[in-house]
Amino acid sequence: MKGLIPAAGRGARLEPITLAIPKELLMVGDKAIIEYVIDAMKQVSITEITVVVGWRKHAILDYLGSGERLGVKLTYVVQDKRDGLAKAVSAGKHINHDEPFMVVLGDNFFYPKTFLQDILSFHEKKKADATIGVTKVEDPTRHGIIKPGEGNRIIDLIEKPKPSDAPSKLGCIGIYIFNPVIFEAIEKTKPGFNNEYQLTDAIKILVKEKYKVYYREIKGKHIDVGTINDLKNANTFLSQH
Ligand code: G1P
């Protein structure tokens, strides 16, 4: 399986530092957040990885290079417009069009590193078209929230709902496995929350079209590093484990 790491987001809530340093390069312990994602993919033998970069993101190439230092092969693709996570995923379409692939967001910190094996095994056992990693989240307004159905099927999803509209506590944590059919769904997706093309909405199209879309609850720590406080929390957590 190949991997794809979206790393083209602006990091507005982390400005001014993200005017110069991509949020994926902020340090947790002794390395950049994105390096943890690559390490985790390597643990499940994903070594061919596409990194989606964009405007003000060239430092990611300087940090990761070809991937040789990390024992992986990296390819970079560019998302010219900041028009949403769905478009970041489809920027890698020419590389991931023929087999299932795993997407892990480059600004999310996870612990322990073994969390990807579980979701991968689950996806293969279920012969799913898409499997979405979720966990119980405190704040639905920061996540895509799923409506769980029987047997781990997803029956609906909403991007960043108000607490009163959230269909459950289970939020997407930025780990997805997709069959290439996701690209067709992305093409049909209209701008949604924040006027961006949301991956959540593309997955919702797969659900409506009766594809096999499952969720898998990840046990462990997940921190979406979107604010300085998140970065502090990730560092505190790591220093204690
Ligand atoms: C993205 C997704 C959201 C998901 C989150 C996880 O949001 O759109 O569904 O729950 O990542 O970190 P972002 O954090 O890019 O705003």
Side-chain angles (χ1 to χ4, degrees):
M1 188 177 280
K2 290 179 187 156
L4 181 135
I5 304 179
R10 177 173 156 206
R13 287 169 301 161
L14 282 157
E15 284 179 3
I17 190 66
T18 44
L19 295 175
I21 302 174
K23 59 182 167 174
E24 295 78 8
L25 294 188
L26 296 176
M27 302 289 280
V28 178
D30 60 357
K31 53 191 177 191
I33 303 168
I34 195 168
E35 193 171 333
Y36 290 93
V37 174
I38 290 176
D39 279 352
M41 284 189 167
K42 221 173 91 179
Q43 291 230 344
V44 290
S45 305
I46 295 179
T47 55
E48 285 180 52
I49 303 170
T50 304
V51 182
V52 184
V53 295
W55 180 59
R56 278 198 185 134
K57 292 288 187 160
H58 61 270
I60 292 178
L61 276 78
D62 296 338
Y63 183 93
L64 297 174
S66 66
E68 196 179 347
R69 175 176 69 84
L70 305 169
V72 294
K73 284 187 190 153
L74 299 179
T75 303
Y76 297 91
V77 301
V78 176
Q79 182 184 9
D80 282 320
K81 280 197 236 158
R82 285 193 167 134
D83 50 1
L85 185 55
K87 294 287 186 175
V89 171
S90 63
K93 183 177 171 183
H94 55 299
I95 299 169
N96 294 299
H97 54 81
D98 51 1
E99 49 185 43
F101 61 101
M102 181 185 283
V103 176
V104 183
L105 303 188
D107 60 353
N108 279 227
F109 175 76
F110 302 95
Y111 186 91
K113 271 205 274 191
T114 46
F115 62 94
L116 291 181
Q117 186 56 58
D118 178 65
I119 187 165
L120 189 57
S121 308
F122 178 86
H123 179 84
E124 285 168 352
K125 196 175 103 206
K126 291 285 190 184
K127 298 190 171 51
D129 294 304
T131 301
I132 318 302
V134 300
T135 197
K136 288 199 180 73
V137 297
E138 296 288 318
D139 183 359
T141 67
R142 287 191 60 178
H143 294 85
I145 303 293
I146 66 154
K147 181 170 184 183
E150 289 208 351
N152 278 60
R153 289 290 278 259
I154 293 182
I155 49 181
D156 200 7
L157 309 90
I158 311 180
E159 180 68 10
K160 305 194 173 93
K162 285 190 290 191
S164 55
D165 294 340
S168 76
K169 291 243 169 228
L170 297 174
C172 304
I173 52 172
I175 306 174
Y176 313 82
I177 302 176
F178 293 121
N179 280 354
V181 69
I182 189 66
F183 296 121
E184 291 165 34
I186 292 172
E187 268 169 33
K188 294 176 199 159
T189 303
K190 305 257 181 323
F193 181 85
N194 217 12
N195 207 25
E196 291 179 358
Y197 293 88
Q198 298 293 345
L199 190 56
T200 309
D201 293 337
I203 300 166
K204 193 172 170 146
I205 290 175
L206 291 183
V207 171
K208 282 206 175 127
E209 293 183 348
K210 311 265 183 263
Y211 284 98
K212 290 161 73 180
V213 181
Y214 290 92
Y215 68 91
R216 181 71 171 168
E217 196 173 340
I218 300 292
K219 310 266 182 247
K221 187 75 175 170
H222 162 248
I223 301 175
D224 167 16
V225 180
T227 65
I228 287 289
N229 224 13
D230 298 330
L231 186 64
K232 282 186 191 153
N233 287 342
N235 273 289
T236 306
F237 180 86
L238 190 75
S239 65
Q240 290 166 352
H241 290 81

